[in-house]
Amino acid sequence: MNTLASYAVTTTKGRLHNEDPPKYRSEFQRDRDRIIHSTAFRRLEYKTQVFINHEGDLFRTRLTHSLEVAQVGRSVANALNINVDLVEAICLAHDLGHTPFGHIGQDELNSCMHKACGEGFEHNLQSLRIVDKLEERYADFDGLNLTFETREGILKHCSLKTAKTLGDLGTRFLKGTEPSLEAQLANIADELAYNFHDVDDGLRSGIITLEQLREVSIIDEQLTSLHKKYPNLDGRRLHKELVRHLINMTIYSLIESTTDNLKKCNIEIPDDVYKADPIVAYSESMVSQQKELKKFLHKNLYKHSSVMQLRFKSANIIRGLFDAFVSDESILPEAYQKKVSVQGLHRVVADYISGMTDRYAYRQYNRLFTVENI
Ligand code: MG
């Protein structure tokens, strides 16, 4: 801990509720531990990343995605000598607010909330709401009472209107400044992890092929060099070697471009980071390579008819549940009914639905709408 770089975050601005400092852990280790023990974290195991949760046991879920983001984050943080514990805490918490059924779940809930009450639903803000308010496990406060720095990292973006309601946490959006290096890293580690694990899962599912992937230059280069080194390698082992190499070379590239940026911008202390352009960033050529890959995945994986069919079904479930609970609050679980007078019906319904795992949402939907279950 005491050998961290001068631009690393080493102390906290504090927590929403005062607590004694931890005895044998750092403040950020305490945050990480609280996140791991939370209910929202365990729910991630049964929430979809891209492939619907029950489609296959080996596809990523929100939980394994979050663990991979934390692994990428830790690797880069170690190399840059910044605060690994803070990076890990942010990475593990970054998707706590995700709905069931991946992005389609969030988009549908967002549209339901807009139509019903003019408010939206955004998973980033929901992650913050979970750690600040919704977890119920401490005698002295709601939420997990995390440090400012972890909360700052969780809130990757928000509207100016929302920023005005968030006190200290909203200031950077109003002033247009950047967050800590640790927060910047967690953000880019998320993207790095999902781009490559989506390639991995896409190949595994058979929806995309290695031949198709050759149209992405970064992948074509890696495949050519792998073929040269291992002429007889094919099948699953080639696919796994490819993904491993892609992750490695992108992490190396990120470490190198960030080290350059730290020097170029004369970053010495955390305050320098807030005022500068993003420091934890890819080189220009890596940015365009990543864009090319994203475009490929969008066209060939995320929009593939088998993925779209499940999305269609998932959107119907979210909408059906939302309309049902809003039309008759007496079918909400009692613990949620009790919150309606304080938080408003729509927000309570959004909290309830977004907290569901995929299979819990299916079960609730069947319970309410399927005749055979009676
Ligand atoms: Mg994520």
Side-chain angles (χ1 to χ4, degrees):
M1 273 302 275
N2 47 8
T3 56
L4 290 184
S6 57
Y7 36 72
V9 170
T10 50
T11 53
T12 178
K13 289 183 190 162
R15 298 171 188 270
L16 288 175
H17 310 275
N18 282 333
E19 284 187 77
D20 292 336
K23 204 168 170 187
Y24 299 111
R25 299 175 286 184
S26 74
E27 295 280 4
F28 305 119
Q29 285 170 345
R30 173 149 79 177
D31 279 2
R32 177 203 55 203
D33 299 345
R34 286 184 174 183
I35 292 158
I36 289 175
H37 287 275
S38 70
T39 307
F41 186 71
R42 280 195 304 283
R43 285 179 174 154
L44 297 178
E45 183 175 3
Y46 298 105
K47 289 196 182 203
T48 285
Q49 179 67 23
V50 170
F51 289 88
I52 296 293
N53 195 277
H54 56 259
E55 283 210 300
D57 288 347
L58 294 179
F59 293 125
R60 266 67 176 190
T61 65
R62 284 271 158 215
L63 180 65
T64 59
H65 161 68
S66 301
L67 295 174
E68 289 183 32
V69 175
Q71 181 274 316
V72 170
R74 274 197 314 265
S75 297
V76 180
N78 266 316
L80 298 174
N81 211 13
I82 59 177
N83 199 315
V84 178
D85 297 323
L86 174 56
V87 171
E88 188 176 20
I90 300 169
C91 291
L92 292 174
H94 86 283
D95 269 353
L96 289 180
H98 252 295
T99 60
F101 312 126
H103 276 278
I104 191 66
Q106 116 127 11
D107 294 346
E108 196 55 42
L109 193 53
N110 186 30
S111 121
C112 290
M113 283 293 280
H114 264 302
K115 278 183 210 148
C117 63
E119 291 176 30
F121 177 89
E122 206 273 318
H123 72 89
N124 225 255
L125 269 177
Q126 190 68 11
S127 298
L128 188 68
R129 187 167 160 79
I130 286 172
V131 301
D132 282 357
K133 294 197 176 87
L134 298 184
E135 281 284 326
E136 294 174 336
R137 48 201 313 116
Y138 294 90
D140 293 328
F141 45 77
D142 287 336
L144 303 178
N145 199 28
L146 303 182
T147 60
F148 173 88
E149 292 70 19
T150 301
R151 296 168 62 237
E152 175 190 63
I154 290 173
L155 193 65
K156 281 190 275 195
H157 36 250
C158 80
S159 66
L160 292 181
K161 190 178 151 207
T162 308
K164 284 180 194 155
T165 67
L166 294 173
D168 272 5
L169 210 59
T171 309
R172 79 176 166 95
F173 299 101
L174 300 172
K175 286 189 176 169
T177 55
E178 293 299 318
S180 67
L181 293 173
E182 287 79 359
Q184 293 182 28
L185 170 54
N187 191 7
I188 210 162
D190 179 25
E191 187 186 317
L192 194 159
Y194 71 64
N195 275 341
F196 296 124
H197 68 48
D198 288 351
V199 168
D200 193 20
D201 281 352
L203 284 168
R204 187 181 172 81
S205 70
I207 292 178
I208 54 176
T209 64
L210 282 175
E211 268 323 296
Q212 250 182 318
L213 273 163
R214 274 201 181 269
E215 70 180 72
V216 181
S217 56
I218 191 177
I219 295 185
D220 189 46
E221 280 164 30
Q222 288 301 317
L223 272 175
T224 305
S225 86
L226 276 172
H227 277 313
K228 228 179 255 171
K229 199 169 172 192
Y230 306 104
N232 298 321
L233 194 62
D234 59 7
R236 182 153 295 169
R237 208 179 280 246
L238 173 62
H239 142 195
K240 294 294 177 193
E241 273 291 338
L242 170 71
V243 174
R244 188 173 77 79
H245 274 74
L246 287 167
I247 295 173
N248 251 336
M249 62 93 68
T250 312
I251 285 181
Y252 286 5
S253 165
L254 178 62
I255 292 167
E256 283 154 21
S257 53
T258 302
T259 307
D260 286 350
N261 292 341
L262 285 163
K263 278 196 204 115
K264 244 190 292 174
C265 300
N266 295 317
I267 302 295
E268 283 173 10
I269 55 170
D271 268 354
D272 298 335
V273 177
Y274 308 130
K275 290 174 228 153
D277 286 337
I279 299 292
V280 186
Y282 291 130
S283 65
E284 265 176 45
S285 66
M286 186 52 88
V287 167
S288 60
Q289 284 177 318
Q290 294 292 317
K291 262 192 200 151
E292 196 190 3
L293 172 60
K294 264 178 196 290
K295 217 169 138 190
F296 174 90
L297 289 172
H298 212 77
K299 185 172 129 213
N300 298 290
L301 182 63
Y302 308 142
K303 297 276 179 200
H304 190 272
S305 61
S306 66
V307 175
M308 293 306 286
Q309 284 162 5
L310 289 165
R311 286 180 169 217
F312 177 81
K313 187 169 157 187
S314 310
N316 281 334
I317 293 174
I318 296 284
R319 202 178 323 116
L321 289 174
F322 186 87
D323 290 345
F325 293 125
V326 165
S327 70
D328 184 354
E329 67 178 77
S330 67
I331 57 174
L332 276 171
E334 274 170 20
Y336 284 87
Q337 287 184 37
K338 281 184 191 151
K339 295 178 180 182
V340 169
S341 60
V342 183
Q343 297 173 12
L345 176 62
H346 298 111
R347 187 53 61 191
V348 170
V349 170
D351 285 342
Y352 180 44
I353 293 176
S354 63
M356 292 180 182
T357 59
D358 290 8
R359 58 188 189 175
Y360 185 81
Y362 271 125
R363 270 205 302 269
Q364 286 304 102
Y365 187 87
N366 279 335
R367 220 172 128 87
L368 294 172
F369 295 105
T370 307
V371 177
E372 298 92 271
N373 273 3
I374 292 174

